[in-house]
Amino acid sequence: MDVTKFEELQLDDRIIRAITEMGFEEASPIQAQAIPVVLEGRDMIGQAQTGTGKTASFAIPIIQHLQANKETDKRQGIKALILTPTRELAMQISECIDDYSKYTRVRHGVIFGGVNQRPQVDMLRKGIDILVATPGRLLDLINQGHIHLTNIEYFVLDEADRMLDMGFYDDIM
C-alpha cells in the first residue's frame, strides 16, 4: 500500500508546520484521496471509519484555499460553512480547525444551541472565514439577521446521514 506524506499534497508550509507539530507525517487513506480533490475545487463525498481523519480531509484544503485568497479576496463574511449534527462534533471540528490553521490568517468560529447566543453573535460580528454550526442555531441566527450565506464558497455536510436520522431534513433543505 502506498503511503502519502503530507508534504506530497502541495500544502502551504504553514499548514504543514501545524500538522507536523501535531505529530503527523503521513496522510490517512481518506486524507490522501480527498485533499487533492478539494484542493482542485471539486465536489466530493467521503466516507470512512471514525478516527481516520475525515475532518482534516476537508478542513485542510479549505484552510489552504482561504489563506491563499486572503490577499486578493477582500469580501467580508463567512466563506466556508461546515454543518454538523451535534454540539460535541461542532466543538471537535472547531478544535481541529484551530490546530490546522494556527499559523494562517484564517479565522473561524463555532455556533450551537443550548448556550447563550450573545458570545456567538459577538464572534460573528468580528468576522470569520469558516463557520462550524449545528442546524438549529444556524437557522436561528440566519432568521435574526446575524448570518448571511451570500459569500459561501465551501459547504460541508459532516455526518449527513446522522443529521437525516436525527430529523434535520427540512432544516438542511
Side-chain angles (χ1 to χ4, degrees):
M1 181 168 82
D2 288 340
V3 174
T4 303
K5 296 202 176 286
F6 281 105
E7 287 90 16
E8 298 171 38
L9 295 175
Q10 299 168 349
L11 296 173
D12 185 289
D13 289 340
R14 292 166 283 205
I15 296 171
I16 292 288
R17 178 178 169 199
I19 293 168
T20 303
E21 284 181 7
M22 294 169 64
F24 299 114
E25 292 180 17
E26 298 172 354
S28 70
I30 186 76
Q31 294 164 347
Q33 292 173 13
I35 289 173
V37 171
V38 180
L39 285 175
E40 290 174 10
R42 298 188 347 231
D43 293 342
M44 64 157 291
I45 296 174
Q47 183 177 10
Q49 295 293 324
T50 299
T52 57
K54 289 185 297 289
T55 300
S57 68
F58 61 78
I60 289 171
I62 290 172
I63 293 165
Q64 172 136 332
H65 277 285
L66 294 176
Q67 175 62 34
N69 294 333
K70 271 289 194 189
E71 299 304 318
T72 57
D73 186 357
K74 299 299 182 192
R75 292 175 303 143
Q76 298 296 310
I78 301 161
K79 294 172 189 73
L81 173 62
I82 301 167
L83 199 57
T84 188
T86 67
R87 160 191 338 195
E88 294 77 21
L89 193 52
M91 290 187 298
Q92 182 182 344
I93 292 168
S94 180
E95 289 168 7
C96 289
I97 294 171
D98 264 342
D99 291 338
Y100 305 133
S101 67
K102 73 180 185 179
Y103 296 114
T104 71
R105 292 179 41 228
V106 174
R107 295 188 326 243
H108 78 283
V110 59
I111 62 170
F112 46 80
V115 297
N116 185 335
Q117 75 175 28
R118 177 60 42 211
Q120 296 174 357
V121 170
D122 291 343
M123 173 259 313
L124 292 167
R125 281 200 183 111
K126 290 178 185 171
I128 57 172
D129 302 302
I130 302 172
L131 177 63
V132 182
T134 57
R137 180 55 56 100
L138 176 67
L139 287 175
D140 285 347
L141 295 181
I142 288 172
N143 291 334
Q144 293 174 40
H146 297 297
I147 294 177
H148 305 281
L149 303 179
T150 52
N151 291 328
I152 297 292
E153 299 170 30
Y154 308 97
F155 177 61
V156 176
L157 269 177
D158 194 36
E159 302 276 347
D161 54 341
R162 192 163 159 209
M163 271 194 271
L164 296 175
D165 290 344
M166 293 172 69
F168 286 121
Y169 178 82
D170 290 338
D171 292 341
I172 293 169
M173 289 305 125

